[in-house]
């Protein structure tokens, strides 16, 4: 088992978040345990969001330079605006 949240992969953290949500949806927990699950869920949401934001920063656009070689450049969101609409 992973000892701290910082060591979780996105997939592991998301799975734990899903489990916390299902536990809360069950409605069978005492209030104190429900609050603990809610707090854990919120920490997991923030952790997953942070991992996603870091992943977005790593996304690169592949282009070809003057010699025909691939070059990785930061992906500019403004370049996507016309494609997304």
């Amino acid at each position: 088992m992973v000892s701290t949240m910082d060591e979780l992969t996105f997939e592991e953290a998301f799975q734990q978040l899903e489990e916390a949500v299902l536990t809360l949806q069950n409605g069978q927990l005492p209030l104190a345990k429900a609050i603990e699950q809610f707090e854990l869920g919120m920490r997991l949401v923030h952790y997953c969001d942070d991992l996603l934001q870091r992943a977005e920063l790593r996304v690169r656009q592949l282009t070809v330079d003057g010699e025909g070689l691939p070059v990785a450049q930061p992906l500019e969101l403004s370049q996507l605006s016309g494609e997304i609409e």
Side-chain angles (χ1 to χ4, degrees):
M1 170 119 188
V2 178
S3 58
T4 66
M5 191 175 299
D6 289 341
E7 297 172 347
L8 292 174
T9 65
F10 175 82
E11 293 79 9
E12 292 167 336
F14 193 79
Q15 180 179 0
Q16 287 186 18
L17 175 59
E18 286 179 325
E19 291 169 6
V21 168
L22 289 174
T23 301
L24 286 169
Q25 286 178 336
N26 183 356
Q28 301 299 314
L29 291 177
L31 180 59
K33 291 287 185 187
I35 291 172
E36 286 177 17
Q37 284 296 301
F38 176 78
E39 290 172 341
L40 172 62
M42 291 307 297
R43 286 193 304 273
L44 287 164
V45 164
H46 291 293
Y47 179 71
C48 287
D49 183 59
D50 182 55
L51 290 177
L52 287 173
Q53 287 183 18
R54 283 192 253 161
E56 281 184 61
L57 292 175
R58 296 180 60 196
V59 172
R60 300 285 183 239
Q61 177 183 4
L62 288 178
T63 60
V64 179
D65 67 8
E67 298 175 10
L69 299 173
V71 178
Q73 298 178 340
L75 181 63
E76 297 291 330
L77 292 178
S78 61
Q79 294 172 338
L80 294 177
S81 62
E83 297 175 23
I84 295 173
E85 295 173 10

